[in-house]
Amino acid sequence: MRRSKKNTEKYIALSAEGKKFEFRDILNGEVKVNNKTQKIKFRQNNGLNFIIYKNKKYLVDILEKDQNKYEIIVNGIGHSFTVESPFSYRRKKFLEKSKQNSKTESITAPMPGKIVDVLVENHAEINKGEPIIILEAMKMQNEILSHVSGTIKNIHVKKNENVMKDDLILEVEK
Amino acid sequence: MDVNGKQFKRFLERYDILAEQNSKEKAKKQHAKGKLTANERIQLLLDENTFEEVDAFVKASQTASDFGAAGNDNYGDGVIIGHGKIRGRLVFVYAQDFTVMGGSLGLVHATKIAKIQDMALKMGAPIIGLIDSGGARIQEGIASLAGYAGIFHRNVHSSGVIPQISSIMGPAAGGAVYSPSLTDFIFMTNETSYMFVTGPNVVKEVLNEEVTFEELGGANVHSTKSGVAHFIYEDEENTLRGIRKLMSYLPANNIENPPVREFNCEQPDYEEKLRDLVPDEPDKPYDVKDVIQLIVDTDSFFEVAKYYAANIVVGFARMKGKTIGIIANQPKVLAGVLDINSSNKGARFIRFCDSFNIPLLTLEDVPGFLPGTGQEHEGIIRHGAKLLYAYSDATVPKITVILRKSYGGAYCVMNSKNLGGDFNFAWPTAEIAVMGPEGAVSILYRKKLAEAEDPVLMKKELAKKYRDEIANPYVADEKGYIDEVIDPAITRRKLLSAFEALENKHVNSPSRKHGNIPL
Amino acid sequence: MKITKLLIANRGEIAVRIIKTANKLGIKTCCIKTSHEPKAHYLSLADEIIDFTDIVSDVPEFLDVDRIIEAAVAHKVDAIHPGYGFLAESPYFAQRCDDEGITFVGPSADAIYKMGNKTIAKQIATKHKVPLLQGSHGNVSNFDEAIQIADKIGYPVILKAASGGGGRGMRIVEKASQMEKMFKLASNEAEKAFNDPSVFIEKYVRNPRHIEFQIFGDKQGNIIHLGERECSIQRKHQKLIEECPSPALSPELREEMGAEAISIADAVGYYSAGTVEFLLDEDKKFYFMEMNTRIQVEHPVTEEVTGLDLIEMQIKVAEGDSLPIKQEDVQLNGWAMELRINAEDVQAGFSPSLGVVHKVIYPTGPGIRVDTGMYDDSVISPNFDSMVAKLIVHADTREEVIKTLKNALNSFWIRGVKTTVPFHKYVLSHKKFMKGDINTSFIEKELDAFYETDQDEIMLAAFLASYDFAKELENESADDVNFEKGKEINPWVLNKRLKSL
């Protein structure tokens, strides 16, 4: 046996929205939904990957994966999942509990583009929903709003700077 | 032998005590903190049923009992040592047990680690340390410090002979951090592992600075800011999986060659997509990892220090199953410029590969060294020299492909022909020159530009002319500084045959104790 | 004068669309190759290519009037079709064509100028007693003045770019305190997009429908209308779904609005294709908004319902032919709807989804038409508009159109970028949309989401992630790493290696 001992019978997939799915013996291509076992089949066609489930065809794609973090596309809609083992799932829950009192929140660029204007200053108070920067993407100027209330801590961008998606714009202290 | 006799009874009793020591309650305590026990970690790291423990029943020295160390009557003294197999190959392992006196390092504990280090070196087999320790055992005083020094000495002794890997699975404080930092690779587990020389309490006392464990020396800090950790994983199971994965690229020692993966690789030798990856505009970023993915065996690229100095990408990959080391400038981050951190990151990786007979592939797209007082005052000269030294000193097969920019000093550094590159290829998009077109024309046409009606436009036009006439791969090719300008689509095929030709490369170095790398 | 060689000064689906008609008419086509997408599909269809990839300039290729004219002369084209966008609405460009003796496929420079400047357009409308919204007479120079005018006509008001269109440089102001910020935004955006920061103000009508009339004129002075298009499904003033006819118009109202549209066009001696936009409020009162002096993105719905080829008519009119039909010949048959497929991430607030289209398969079937310039390996670049395809369906009734569209969306497959397809699926199933009860605030007010969350899809995503993870674990523990091979070293190198240690 040239593999380490692992619990490979059960996997837990957690969505970014907190949905939880459990799969047993997943490589068999079966899922249990409401105690009924359903077959899931993979089809490759013309460079596209499909899943056949309950006689329906779904276009699927793995957009990104980083260790156990997945970004999956099903019929054009993206879903973020982390895949956990029973142990790592418990660990995750434990760490979440102990982390709930974190103080700073980051605001990141929702799309790639150019910073046209920074509307806030360091140490300023900001309320949820107030605009913080104007970002130009695809020739449209978009106001980026704060999703938290608090004090602006660090502004990481400057006017006329280009940002990529998910680049840190600033941090807000709650 | 009488299995009911006194001797055998004692034999069994000891196992009962050991079992109690590793009781479920203790495991629960670790689990509650999101951590596994030392035993569980070893089981996950090694192939099933291959671990053989050594010195399980050794006890702490009872001499230094002043501060209550006498209460430590545990078997093993807080560390499990032994050997086992990863994918069928022998490795030596030690794992500190935080449930025994916080995994603190006393004399016996240290002696055990030293013992396994010695064995690994004698056998020419890799050694893996799973670290989870509060640091030196204060009660044992100087003996514990001496223990550390002994471990460090062995780390250095083994360096470049056998791969040494450390995985920080909990705290590693004070002296404990130096053993990992002397090893080849450090793994950390996010949110449950820390490394620091002085802890938050001391920082508070001395500097009156409030800092959390995570902020001071968490996995995130070390994998992004300090560059101490090479791999970061979300949980312990994945961390241990990561070590197994890394081991599959490495040879057991510096005599062997790396292992070969035998599988049918789908990566085509001819890939037209490569022609479109590098944008024609010299200032447009792209992800060099996309280039790597299309050259090496499918899904074989295993990146090292992914989040640190991301303007250079380093990592292992396979070509037709054989391990290579890749160093690539990353145009997506800071235009792929060389700075202090990226020079250090690249240099250390090259040193590792050279030590263990892993051929090097350099993918070059570098605008130069990062200018500015910040970099100059911090010693970019000194640090850039490390990269230069590492490339030049390496005797493994060295191949460079210039994808786009290759300017000035950075051209020389990135494994240029005269620095000892065995094969230097360039794509037609390559721009090789003393400096970038914009900079060059500013100097060459300073006067003309100053008098121009529209200097911006004129500069652009001159830059274009410069690019057409000077900053292209053909001038270098015709002068022999490039072996061949190749169609990007055939890069993989070219590299495969080049690496094959270089397989038995050997360079006789002048005899010396060791070189003096500009540290 | 017959056109023999046509330069298409545009890209993407509209270039493809124009080439199609040009081929039908036996006209040679000429397209512009840019460095942003040197392998674009439209280039493969053109008879001749003008290479702009080597050009060093800060002006984007399709905005560079002088260079295009220069190339047109060099390539000896006798006509230019600008498609839609900047060039189609540049009087300077039309004039330059004229000066060089090149036929501009579109209206006169004078008509473009007058209608392109919204202030002048409004003056013309006022003169011809076409109903208008109250607002500033001319441009507003600063926000203080803007506040004064807004106080007079009452909030809400809308700020618009004087030389704009397509939603850029537009901002709604609900109260005086927002004026400074909004004025700055609108003006900035106008400057960026149209090189002209001037904005004007008008009364903002809540929940109006966007109804536009396709008009067509010839150089002989005949002008007809080809019915309306309803484009009320908009997000941030960008149209997403268009249909013809509108569920809101009675034949009488159609006739009335059509006549007003013609009178506006007539006032500037309009020829070629044009679109007169109106707002229709909840009491069926309509207001003239602006006139677009070009072919519109959404022209296919009119083509489907009228059975006409609008591009062909544009070319014929440009050649000097008179219109082939009279107003009474215009028949609206059945219903047509167009969905704009944009490379946008609906889940990330419609932000651009850039990258390479690895594979795309479009739906086919009776009544289904796809206008697109995006095929396998197309690159979605930030330099261009995000609209990549238009899915158009024509059928007898609106219900049938919606049904066919839904089926079509279910066989539209794309890998590589995200598109607005999930959004369209969601809207097509919305009760109010199905009833035709829509207005320009529909997306903002009626939609609680931009796409449907299907429980099976989520489960399958979770399954795929777990499956891939399990598979990778399986692969990693596979017995295919051969350590023995690492020990098979050629004696030549082994010997030397040992000696040098």
Side-chain angles (χ1 to χ4, degrees), chain B residues 232-244:
Chain B
I232 174 173
Y233 285 91
E234 281 306 310
D235 58 76
E236 294 192 9
E237 283 163 304
N238 280 314
T239 309
L240 296 163
R241 253 181 80 202
I243 299 174
R244 286 178 65 88

Side-chain angles (χ1 to χ4, degrees), chain C residues 40-279:
Chain C
H41 178 72
Y42 71 91
L43 295 170
S44 66
L45 304 174
D47 296 310
E48 208 172 305
I49 285 171
I50 297 176
D51 194 345
F52 273 16
T53 53
D54 256 358
I55 284 163
V56 185
S57 167
D58 284 333
V59 187
E61 290 86 346
F62 292 113
L63 302 188
D64 197 336
V65 171
D66 296 335
R67 200 177 305 278
I68 289 172
I69 295 287
E70 202 179 290
V73 172
H75 284 252
K76 299 193 170 63
V77 305
D78 42 27
I80 300 182
H81 196 308
Y84 40 69
F86 174 78
L87 291 177
E89 289 176 295
S90 160
Y92 174 65
F93 184 62
Q95 190 57 51
R96 285 293 308 273
C97 288
D98 227 32
D99 295 346
E100 298 292 340
I102 296 169
T103 307
F104 177 77
V105 182
S108 66
D110 178 63
I112 299 175
Y113 171 71
K114 284 179 178 156
M115 284 301 156
N117 186 313
K118 287 180 190 172
T119 313
I120 301 177
K122 300 233 147 151
Q123 283 162 1
I124 292 171
T126 313
K127 206 169 127 200
H128 288 79
K129 301 204 169 53
V130 179
L132 266 180
L133 286 171
Q134 268 189 292
S136 62
H137 298 283
N139 297 332
V140 182
S141 49
N142 57 48
F143 73 90
D144 279 332
E145 192 189 337
I147 286 181
Q148 278 176 23
I149 297 165
D151 283 344
K152 210 165 69 197
I153 60 177
Y155 287 94
V157 297
I158 185 164
L159 296 167
K160 289 183 179 179
S163 31
R168 288 184 209 141
M170 278 193 199
R171 284 290 188 273
I172 297 161
V173 188
E174 302 278 354
K175 48 183 191 278
S177 63
Q178 294 175 333
M179 187 62 89
E180 181 171 4
K181 192 177 84 188
M182 292 303 185
F183 191 87
K184 207 170 141 193
L185 282 174
S187 184
N188 268 352
E189 224 170 272
E191 168 125 49
K192 280 260 169 198
F194 315 109
N195 225 346
D196 173 8
S198 28
V199 295
F200 65 93
I201 284 192
E202 66 189 22
K203 174 83 186 154
Y204 180 66
V205 184
R206 274 189 211 284
N207 305 339
R209 283 172 183 263
H210 175 117
I211 306 284
E212 60 184 32
F213 272 76
Q214 177 70 55
I215 61 108
F216 227 105
D218 58 25
K219 290 178 180 171
Q220 288 72 23
N222 304 305
I223 301 181
I224 58 171
H225 78 79
L226 304 176
E228 77 282 6
R229 289 186 290 258
E230 162 130 26
C231 317
S232 296
I233 303 298
Q234 303 181 353
R235 188 184 162 272
K236 292 193 172 170
H237 302 284
Q238 299 275 15
K239 296 164 187 169
L240 290 168
I241 300 177
E242 300 102 340
E243 57 188 302
C244 173
S246 160
L249 260 59
S250 62
E252 293 75 32
L253 186 55
R254 177 171 302 122
E255 200 174 314
E256 191 187 338
M257 290 174 79
E260 298 287 9
I262 289 173
S263 83
I264 293 249
D266 197 37
V268 290
Y270 199 87
Y271 54 81
S272 194
T275 299
V276 181
E277 295 189 353
F278 297 98
L279 284 188

Side-chain angles (χ1 to χ4, degrees), chain B residues 364 388-389 391-394 398 400 402 409-425 432 476-477 479-483:
Chain B
E364 179 174 357
L388 191 54
Y389 191 104
Y391 262 124
S392 189
D393 202 33
K398 294 182 286 188
T400 302
I402 301 176
Y411 159 80
C412 304
V413 171
M414 295 300 288
N415 193 37
S416 58
K417 192 83 204 166
N418 298 60
L419 203 61
D422 294 304
F423 284 106
N424 291 57
F425 300 115
I432 307 166
D477 191 18
K479 293 193 170 150
Y481 297 122
I482 290 292
D483 292 298

